[in-house]
Amino acid sequence: MTANGSFVRQSAEPVDRFMRYEKLFIGGEWVVPEDGGLLESIDPSTGQPWAVAAYGGKKDIDRAVAAARAAFEGSWGRMPGHERAALMRRFADLYQKHAAELAVVESRDNGRALRESRVDVGGHHNSYHWFASLCDKQGGRTIPLDDGVHAFTSRVPLGVVGAITPWNVPLMAACWKLGPALAAGCTVVLKPAELTPVSSLELARLFEEAGFPAGVVNVVPGYGRDGAGDHLVTHPGVDKITFTGEGATAREILKRGSDTLKRFTFELGGKAPHILFADADLDQALNAATGSAWALCGQSCALGSRVLVERSVYAKVAEEFARRAAKVRVGSPLDEATHMGPQASQQQLDKTLSYIGLGRDEGARLIAGGSRIDRDGLKGGYFVEPTVFADVANDMRIAREEIFGPVAALIPFDGEDEAVALANDTSYGLTAGLWTRDIGRAHRTAARIRAGVVWVNTYRYLRWSIPYGGFKASGWERENGIEALDPYLDTRATVISTTGQFPDAYAQ
């Protein structure tokens, strides 16, 4: 334990010790769960616990919401934007200083290859700095009327935000929610997934060290259904829920939270089309297509899992996918040489293997991978081979449903119109990519694809200033960009008479 009784620090180097994080962060203090308890965080590379962490129950959520409300109505709510910005910048600097440690924690918690975690987590401070720059730029507008009235609008923070983050990218999701919420002037109760609680508790330490007022950020790991997550969603003291995860869970959240007329931001699933036209620079297109097919062991909503290939180059692309799949080094996430770590849980591994079985049953041609890896050194871990199916039809389940595993489906097409039709023939609409040397085709095709983000001659290019979010079943509202602040702000109209005169309606 540290001097303040919070938790043991995680070193930047791999450790074999059983780490303990036995308190929640509520109201600026490290507190024992009132009606929660302790849970084990499983290292996906071994299938064994590597840490124990506190989780909260309904009473703990009540405490956290009360603390967030007190901060919103107290010092944080009265703090000028430039002072909030200074605190956020201080936090961003601390985040940058500890990014290497945070990356190790995330890799131990969810199995992501450390080489990926370092790149991702190593850039989060830029997002916090960028959102800090927006703290004092939430101006309204003047509404011209007549000489006797001055009317104007103000943008005001919504209040208390419940932020529910996923297990695949807990620190990035927290960044994308905390950044705009704090910039807008809201306070937050952060509930990370029960599978990956540790990195968010480490995050709380940095907010404490940065000097944020008590209650501005509260961290309460916990279970979803019938636990901390459900109570956060239904709590009358919470003004908004921001959630990243599955569509089925989002629909349940919407139902459960509707009684209190909360606001919602949802960043949900995807089944992204990645279109390779015959005139593309195929070497570069294949770099992007294979890299995005197996990033995060396939556990990304932006995964380019439906690879649409123009028929004249289809055979070559299929051959290259199979060849490159064999080059992917699957292993311990903390090994510097590892390209791809394990699935994050036994449940996710079982799901991925079941979809591989479905692909075979539906008649797709397996050309690479398709099995669990259980060789010496990886036994007990949730490892699966990078997998490629060729000759996939767009109505197969492996082409329509989000697998969240390293499974690429190659689908042939003939011409631009069929490529667009296949790309849009999905219930999702989060991201898409396309490769072509024809600038006219690039613009035409991008404009016709129903997705929130379309990448042309690149893929998974994510930055703090670019709005991110989906069409259709892929979500509501946007994260990142100046648009990310809108879901955390309300508009107030103020009308002031410059004369103070008001007629007596009953004078005659």
Side-chain angles (χ1 to χ4, degrees), residues 452-453 462-469 478-484:
V453 183
L462 303 172
R463 290 296 185 275
W464 43 90
S465 54
I466 300 174
Y468 184 87
R478 293 295 179 267
E479 296 183 307
N480 290 341
I482 57 175
E483 292 84 354

Side-chain angles (χ1 to χ4, degrees), residues 102-125:
L102 292 169
V104 171
V105 170
E106 180 142 312
S107 289
R108 296 209 73 184
D109 231 7
N110 71 357
R112 187 178 185 182
L114 184 58
R115 61 163 59 190
E116 283 190 346
S117 296
R118 279 179 174 162
V119 173
D120 180 12
V121 177
H124 292 170
H125 66 283

Side-chain angles (χ1 to χ4, degrees), residues 116 274-276 280-295 303-304 307 316-317 320-321 323-325 327-328 339 408 435 457-460:
E116 283 190 346
H274 201 165
I275 305 171
L276 278 57
D281 182 334
L282 278 186
D283 284 340
Q284 298 305 312
L286 281 161
N287 287 344
T290 54
S292 63
W294 304 313
L303 197 73
V307 186
K316 179 179 180 180
V317 168
E320 272 297 298
F321 253 85
R323 187 183 71 83
R324 294 182 185 214
K327 292 175 59 180
V328 177
H339 291 140
W435 288 79
N457 294 336
T458 188
Y459 203 86
R460 289 191 86 247

Side-chain angles (χ1 to χ4, degrees), residues 394-443:
N394 205 50
D395 59 357
M396 293 179 179
R397 288 182 64 184
I398 60 170
R400 304 203 69 79
E401 299 174 14
E402 189 174 39
I403 299 172
F404 239 51
V407 181
L410 307 186
I411 304 172
F413 70 85
D414 294 295
E416 190 175 311
D417 287 341
E418 187 180 11
V420 171
L422 288 169
N424 289 335
D425 183 16
T426 174
S427 61
Y428 295 108
L430 183 59
T431 62
L434 66 100
W435 288 79
T436 178
R437 287 187 172 100
D438 184 333
I439 190 66
R441 170 179 280 165
H443 281 282

